[in-house]
Amino acid sequence: MIVETEENAKKLKEAALELVAFSLKDKGCIDYDLYRSKSNNDRYMIVETWESEEALKAHTETEHYKRLSPELNKYSNLTVEKFDF
């Protein structure tokens, strides 16, 4: 997530931390963290780890995800990438 202003960064961080707090309680969530780049302070990243694709899909159907995900898009240029390991 790339933010254009410090005000957007503040709002993004607020929404993202709320999303992290709720998501950590979702069934199948192994880890869910927010990071801010030390070299480019306009860049944030959420790294999430799920037990299964089904758990991730269920997460995307939760009230908190549906409410807060658009907020992240509103305050940043958001790119989503999935990785398998």
Side-chain angles (χ1 to χ4, degrees):
M1 299 172 284
I2 301 173
V3 294
E4 292 185 11
T5 67
E6 199 55 41
E7 181 63 26
N8 280 358
K10 181 180 174 185
K11 292 176 181 178
L12 174 86
K13 184 177 177 183
E14 184 178 296
L17 288 175
E18 185 177 354
L19 181 60
V20 167
F22 278 112
S23 300
L24 285 168
K25 297 174 187 174
D26 287 346
K27 184 177 179 181
C29 181
I30 296 170
D31 204 10
Y32 211 100
D33 290 304
L34 174 67
Y35 299 95
R36 186 174 192 176
S37 173
K38 287 189 175 235
S39 56
N40 295 303
N41 68 356
D42 64 338
R43 295 167 195 265
Y44 289 79
M45 175 175 61
I46 292 177
V47 177
E48 42 187 292
T49 306
W50 295 92
E51 287 181 358
S52 65
E53 190 68 33
E54 293 78 25
L56 173 58
K57 186 176 184 320
H59 164 66
T60 63
E61 298 298 321
T62 61
E63 179 278 331
H64 55 270
Y65 181 86
K66 289 181 177 181
R67 178 174 53 86
L68 294 165
S69 184
E71 293 294 300
L72 302 181
N73 282 309
K74 183 174 166 181
Y75 298 116
S76 71
N77 179 7
L78 177 84
T79 302
V80 175
E81 293 190 34
K82 287 186 178 184
F83 297 87
D84 285 326
F85 60 96

